[in-house]
Amino acid sequence: MVGTGVFTSLFGLGYWGNIHSFYYFLIIQMAAGLFQSTGWPSVVAVVGKWFGKKKRGLIMGIWNAHTSIGNITGSLLASALLSYGWGWSFVVPGLLIAFVGLVVFFFLPVSPEAVGANEIEPQQPMKIGESMEVPLLRSERVENDKAVGFLEAWQIPGVAPFALCLFFAKLVAYTFLYWLPFYISHTAIDGKYLSNETSGNLSTLFDVGGVVGGVLAGHISDRLNARAITAASFMYCAIPALFFYRSYGHLSLTLNIVFMFITGMFVNGPYALITTAVSADLGTHSSLKGNSRALATVTAIIDGTGSVGAAIGPLLTGYISTRSWSLVFTMLMGAALIAGLFLTRLVVSEVTEKIQEARSQGDHHNEIFFFSN
């Protein structure tokens, strides 16, 4: 956080230094990205140690709302400071994150053990017909201090499909994050063009939808005990949402807001679910035999793969948008489809498990009815 603050501020100092070198901003941005990328694996590992499997999706969905709230706050702060010079839009947020980084360093307890508490997750009674076989994303809490290897983490069942799904999910999400204000300001809504500041403020509703989507996806995945089904369903629903936003969002401001909110909900829902609850589940997978130091590595692999998509999406949009914005949205719909397809095998596995559970429960009820008569 401190390193991110330093390099973000250096980016803004180019305004007062009258720096116009492309390579200066390129190197500064790459350095800032390097420091930023260390944040997510660390925070997911910390939160994952404080909460067990039960209601993890809902808890981490609510917790993950901070990403969207941060995006909203950052956009509003940058827009408000823009009138004083674009340099302030980088320096002020940079100083803020550096200060909070120091607060985190001195006051954040990284695990229950750090404050003298030991988390013991109570054993849940087995459901009727439930076998002792461990499902794909069921976690283990036995401690093991040996760090997991990079290649070993890739071999954990479910890591590769979810990582590749996130590649395309973040491609869509970050294209909206970076290009939505520009798209809104260059698209006539109800025959009128909005100012840059108004467009930036309006684009934050995409993140508001993301907050709802993250909580909703986490809650649904907890209730169904099916992360893959939930994530894939949200990605498929994002396709018509993207289509409607492009086709009808320009007709009126109300329609633009409604479709933007819905699109944010379906795009950011699986993104939030995969980078939090799914990463925590896979980082404590039974195949690790209780290795407690795998969580950050697994999270880094999944989120890192997604970050490649987050870089490619906005880059491609810069070239494609010069030809047609309809082509951009076609690319985004295609990416959402591919993201869902990567989870097909896991979805089939979860559906099969649900069918077997339903049959087992049905057979058990039939036995009770037979003996009672």
Side-chain angles (χ1 to χ4, degrees), residues 92-115:
V92 173
L95 294 175
L96 283 174
I97 192 173
F99 170 74
V100 177
L102 294 175
V103 174
V104 168
F105 178 76
F106 286 108
F107 297 105
L108 174 67
V110 296
S111 66
E113 292 78 9
V115 291

Side-chain angles (χ1 to χ4, degrees), residues 179-189 192-196 199 246 325:
W179 282 97
L180 188 56
F182 181 86
Y183 172 76
I184 294 173
S185 65
H186 288 75
T187 301
I189 301 176
K192 301 177 182 178
Y193 288 92
L194 302 179
S195 66
N196 290 333
S199 298
R246 170 58 181 167
W325 277 104

Side-chain angles (χ1 to χ4, degrees), residues 329-365:
F329 277 85
T330 301
M331 176 192 73
L332 297 178
M333 288 186 283
L337 175 62
I338 296 172
L341 291 176
F342 268 116
L343 298 180
T344 300
R345 183 179 64 84
L346 301 181
V347 169
V348 171
S349 176
E350 289 181 350
V351 170
T352 302
E353 182 184 341
K354 297 301 176 187
I355 294 174
Q356 290 175 347
E357 288 181 1
R359 287 177 177 174
S360 298
Q361 291 179 2
D363 292 341
H364 184 80
H365 288 310

Side-chain angles (χ1 to χ4, degrees), residues 2-344:
V2 174
T4 298
V6 169
F7 283 99
T8 301
S9 298
L10 285 175
F11 196 98
L13 289 176
Y15 171 74
W16 291 282
N18 199 28
I19 299 173
H20 299 283
S21 171
F22 170 75
Y23 292 102
Y24 170 82
F25 293 105
L26 178 65
I27 293 172
I28 293 297
Q29 188 77 331
M30 290 176 65
L34 178 65
F35 280 100
Q36 287 182 45
S37 66
T38 65
W40 195 248
S42 301
V43 294
V44 172
V46 170
V47 176
K49 290 180 179 179
W50 281 93
F51 299 101
K53 171 78 175 180
K54 186 179 180 182
K55 293 187 178 180
R56 177 181 280 165
L58 176 60
I59 291 171
M60 294 191 112
I62 295 173
W63 169 76
N64 186 68
H66 73 267
T67 58
S68 294
I69 294 173
N71 289 339
I72 293 169
T73 305
S75 296
L76 294 176
L77 181 62
S79 297
L81 294 171
L82 198 58
S83 58
Y84 300 100
W86 64 262
W88 290 108
S89 298
F90 289 89
V91 171
V92 173
L95 294 175
L96 283 174
I97 192 173
F99 170 74
V100 177
L102 294 175
V103 174
V104 168
F105 178 76
F106 286 108
F107 297 105
L108 174 67
V110 296
S111 66
E113 292 78 9
V115 291
N118 291 314
E119 182 209 353
I120 301 178
E121 188 174 4
Q123 292 289 333
Q124 297 297 320
M126 291 176 61
K127 296 180 181 178
I128 297 174
E130 184 178 5
S131 66
M132 292 299 293
E133 182 180 350
V134 181
L136 182 64
L137 298 182
R138 198 63 58 84
S139 62
E140 296 280 346
R141 299 296 298 180
V142 182
E143 293 296 325
N144 185 353
D145 290 333
K146 183 180 178 182
V148 68
F150 179 78
L151 295 178
E152 183 184 354
W154 268 106
Q155 295 172 1
I156 298 172
V159 168
F162 275 112
L164 293 172
C165 172
L166 188 64
F167 175 95
F168 290 97
K170 287 188 75 170
L171 186 153
V172 178
Y174 274 72
T175 297
F176 263 83
L177 178 65
Y178 289 122
W179 282 97
L180 188 56
F182 181 86
Y183 172 76
I184 294 173
S185 65
H186 288 75
T187 301
I189 301 176
D190 197 16
K192 301 177 182 178
Y193 288 92
L194 302 179
S195 66
N196 290 333
E197 183 176 355
T198 303
S199 298
N201 293 337
L202 183 62
S203 68
T204 59
L205 291 172
F206 178 81
D207 283 299
V208 175
V211 173
V212 177
V215 175
L216 194 60
H219 178 63
I220 292 174
S221 69
D222 281 340
R223 293 294 298 271
L224 298 179
N225 193 25
R227 309 287 197 211
I229 292 175
T230 305
S233 298
F234 269 68
M235 290 312 307
Y236 292 139
C237 289
I239 298 173
L242 287 164
F243 175 79
F244 285 122
Y245 181 71
R246 170 58 181 167
S247 300
Y248 304 106
H250 65 280
L251 296 180
S252 71
L253 186 60
T254 301
L255 285 176
N256 192 287
I257 291 173
V258 171
F259 288 131
M260 187 192 307
F261 179 89
I262 294 173
T263 302
M265 183 174 67
F266 286 124
V267 168
N268 282 348
Y271 165 30
L273 180 66
I274 294 171
T275 54
T276 55
V278 169
S279 295
D281 289 347
L282 293 173
T284 54
H285 191 262
S286 59
S287 65
L288 295 169
K289 298 179 181 179
N291 192 328
S292 62
R293 297 178 63 185
L295 183 51
T297 302
V298 169
T299 304
I301 288 174
I302 293 176
D303 191 56
T305 304
S307 295
V308 177
I312 293 175
L315 180 65
L316 290 176
T317 301
Y319 293 105
I320 299 174
S321 62
T322 58
R323 298 180 59 187
S324 170
W325 277 104
S326 294
L327 288 177
V328 172
F329 277 85
T330 301
M331 176 192 73
L332 297 178
M333 288 186 283
L337 175 62
I338 296 172
L341 291 176
F342 268 116
L343 298 180
T344 300

